[in-house]
Amino acid sequence: MAFLRANDTISGQEGKAFVKIGERMEEMFYIKTLEATVEKEKAELKTMGQRAVQHKAIGWKGSGTMTIYYVTTLFRELMMEYIQTGKDVYFMIEVRNEDPGSATGRQTVILEGVNLDSVIMASLDTEAEALEEEVAFTFENVRIETPFTPLA
């Protein structure tokens, strides 16, 4: 009988993320959380002889958010480039999950065509122990570069 051992779960702190903008690659050590989601787009179809509405997948869209500590100007600079020149910047994010205590090994997911939706341009908060910002984004492609090792 197979079962999941607790030490094979993945710690949320055991991972890394990298951003690649043009030829510039930077470790995103300032990330607190990152979540990227793919959502199917479906058409509703009615057919003869069926009362139920059926669904057909017709595409997908990728979106995400990341909460980062307010210690980098990188995303504000990208937004300023768009504001000042109209040139929008698309980039790549690589996310690695790798808990050395887990037998699942490493998973590497690449988000391509990442584009910012919103960025906090300035922030103050007298109640905050550490300033954070939430950055919303979309992406146009996703690849699983390295899958987890299946557990036996």
Side-chain angles (χ1 to χ4, degrees), residues 55-142:
H55 299 87
K56 178 178 179 164
I58 58 169
W60 66 276
K61 60 183 176 181
S63 62
T65 58
M66 54 185 162
T67 302
I68 62 175
Y69 292 106
Y70 193 77
V71 297
T72 180
T73 308
L74 174 64
F75 301 111
R76 281 178 282 289
E77 290 171 342
L78 295 179
M79 192 60 80
M80 284 305 301
E81 183 169 345
Y82 176 71
I83 290 168
Q84 293 173 341
T85 69
K87 181 182 174 201
D88 212 353
V89 179
Y90 291 80
F91 54 94
M92 181 203 81
I93 295 177
E94 177 179 321
V95 179
R96 296 180 193 165
N97 298 102
E98 186 172 20
D99 185 338
S102 174
T104 59
R106 179 192 334 182
Q107 174 181 268
T108 303
V109 174
I110 310 288
L111 306 174
E112 298 173 325
V114 177
N115 185 256
L116 301 174
D117 291 346
S118 63
V119 173
I120 294 173
M121 294 305 285
S123 180
L124 293 172
D125 184 348
T126 61
E127 301 294 321
E129 293 178 13
L131 286 178
E132 299 175 357
E133 61 182 304
E134 186 162 306
V135 179
F137 60 89
T138 56
F139 57 95
E140 297 175 353
N141 194 28
V142 60

Side-chain angles (χ1 to χ4, degrees), residues 27-41:
E27 184 172 352
M28 299 170 76
F29 57 85
Y30 39 77
I31 283 185
K32 183 177 177 185
T33 65
L34 184 143
E35 184 172 87
T37 304
V38 169
E39 181 181 346
K40 283 185 187 178
E41 292 186 356

